[in-house]
Amino acid sequence: MQISPITRGEALCILFACVMVLSMVGPAAAASRLNSDVSKKSLSDTAGGVVAQQVDIDTTDLNGSGTQSDPYRISNISELQAMEDDLSANYTLVSDIDASNTSNSTFNDGRGFDPVREPGGAAINPFTGSFDGEGHTITGLTIDRPNESNVGLFGRLKGATLRNVTLVNVTVTGNANVGGLVGGTSASNRSSQIRNVTVSGTVNATEESAGG
């Protein structure tokens, strides 16, 4: 079987086709690398306690089971917000948390962090579980709810335990019973315990009772 030699024109056509294929593969590979880098960046942000935007997380998505022996483990602000879904569970921090994105207009429609208590500020269902910060720090928490009462990281407590956490640079605004860590406690049960906690920042009550 004889193979006919290709002409110069045919050779140029083959070369042009190869160049076209390479030019198409190059951008695709670059895009793939870029997407991979973005994914790795997102994962590293989450692992470091930072979430670029608010993510709706349920307590069932958290590591742990919420019991005293196996508390839910929290590593970022979206997971911290999930505490409002189970007011009787046990929680622990596994890293420092950068909460600065709670000041963004996109976080809960610009109202900042939603206090851990019954939505809206009613005193019917306070937090009754436990929270152990394990010596970690929450930085830049913003809550802007001037028309709501029982406003703080924890809006209202009843027989709860909070310990071993530092809140830095908080900005909290509420109507009545307002604090950086806790807004208020149940009048019928004041047995909640708060130990080894430090809070710094600004707390404003538009009506009365502003504290730590």
Side-chain angles (χ1 to χ4, degrees):
M1 178 180 179
Q2 291 185 339
I3 300 176
S4 300
I6 61 174
T7 65
R8 183 169 181 274
E10 290 173 331
L12 289 175
C13 288
I14 292 173
L15 178 60
F16 177 75
C18 291
V19 170
M20 288 295 294
V21 169
L22 289 174
S23 65
M24 293 173 65
V25 170
S32 177
R33 287 194 299 272
L34 178 60
N35 290 334
S36 176
D37 290 343
V38 169
S39 297
K40 290 178 181 177
K41 180 65 163 59
S42 298
L43 288 172
S44 65
D45 282 352
T46 300
V50 180
V51 174
Q53 60 184 351
Q54 185 181 10
V55 179
D56 188 10
I57 294 177
D58 188 78
T59 50
T60 56
D61 300 320
L62 301 176
N63 292 322
S65 58
T67 63
Q68 288 187 346
S69 60
D70 184 30
Y72 288 127
R73 295 182 283 281
I74 294 173
S75 63
N76 60 57
I77 187 61
S78 290
E79 292 176 350
L80 193 70
Q81 184 68 87
M83 292 192 299
E84 65 181 349
D85 294 328
D86 191 342
L87 299 175
S88 63
N90 300 275
Y91 302 89
T92 186
L93 294 187
V94 296
S95 68
D96 292 343
I97 293 180
D98 181 351
S100 58
N101 65 327
T102 54
S103 65
N104 296 341
S105 60
T106 56
F107 201 98
N108 286 327
D109 299 322
R111 294 175 297 163
F113 188 84
D114 192 3
V116 180
R117 40 83 162 140
E118 183 179 6
I124 299 174
N125 293 317
F127 180 73
T128 61
S130 72
F131 175 84
D132 191 342
E134 293 286 354
H136 291 294
T137 299
I138 300 172
T139 304
L141 183 72
T142 294
I143 305 174
D144 187 13
R145 297 169 183 268
N147 299 318
E148 296 183 16
S149 298
N150 301 305
V151 175
L153 173 58
F154 294 89
R156 197 168 185 86
L157 303 181
K158 181 179 180 180
T161 300
L162 312 180
R163 58 182 179 268
N164 304 327
V165 67
T166 298
L167 276 67
V168 176
N169 195 27
V170 302
T171 304
V172 180
T173 300
N175 182 22
N177 298 328
V178 185
L181 179 69
V182 178
T185 59
S186 175
S188 62
N189 187 330
R190 298 183 182 276
S191 62
S192 297
Q193 300 182 30
I194 300 175
R195 301 193 300 269
N196 194 27
V197 172
T198 303
V199 180
S200 63
T202 303
V203 175
N204 297 304
T206 57
E207 185 176 318
E208 60 182 8
S209 302

